[in-house]
Every structure is written in structure tokens, then in C-alpha cells.
Amino acid sequence: IRDVNPGSGAEAAGLKSGDYVLTADGSEVASSADLKAAVDAHEVGEAVQLTILRGGSVIDVSVTLGEYAPAEA
């Protein structure tokens, strides 16, 4: 994960810049395209189950999707 937008579902779930997503809904995530496909399979308000690697620890998190709002420059 490169960036976490303030107020996003990712921030609410505790995701941090530098986290590495291993799986989404039980499927391996090998690229950003894999993660995007997993997220796109859900509607706003639904949760995506992620397994992440952070600092040598494997953590399971549930991210509730919100409306996409690009970060302002």
C-alpha cells in the first residue's frame, strides 16, 4: 500500500502506507491489478477481507468500502 486517504475505509480499518496485501477475500494478490479486481467485485458499503504483511506480522483486516474520492493535490 502506497498511500491511505484520510477518512477512507482503509484508514478506518487501520491500513498503513507500507502494508503489503497478501490476499483479498482469500485470493492471492500478486499485483495492484489483483487488488483492484477484488475491490471492484464489491459495492460501496460491503467489506473486503484482506490479509496483510506489516513489519513481519501477518494481520487479517476487514475494510468497508466507501465512495472513491481522489486525494486532493
Side-chain angles (χ1 to χ4, degrees):
I1 295 179
R2 244 184 329 188
D3 297 306
V4 177
N5 291 334
S8 67
E11 181 186 54
L15 294 179
K16 299 179 187 246
S17 178
D19 287 348
Y20 185 80
V21 180
L22 301 173
T23 68
D25 290 332
S27 296
E28 180 182 2
V29 173
S31 67
S32 58
D34 290 345
L35 180 57
K36 182 179 183 324
V39 169
D40 288 349
H42 293 275
E43 300 292 326
V44 170
E46 293 182 338
V48 178
Q49 305 304 315
L50 301 179
T51 300
I52 62 167
L53 179 64
R54 178 186 297 154
S57 297
V58 175
I59 304 165
D60 291 318
V61 296
S62 178
V63 180
T64 301
L65 301 179
E67 291 286 341
Y68 175 72
E72 292 182 26

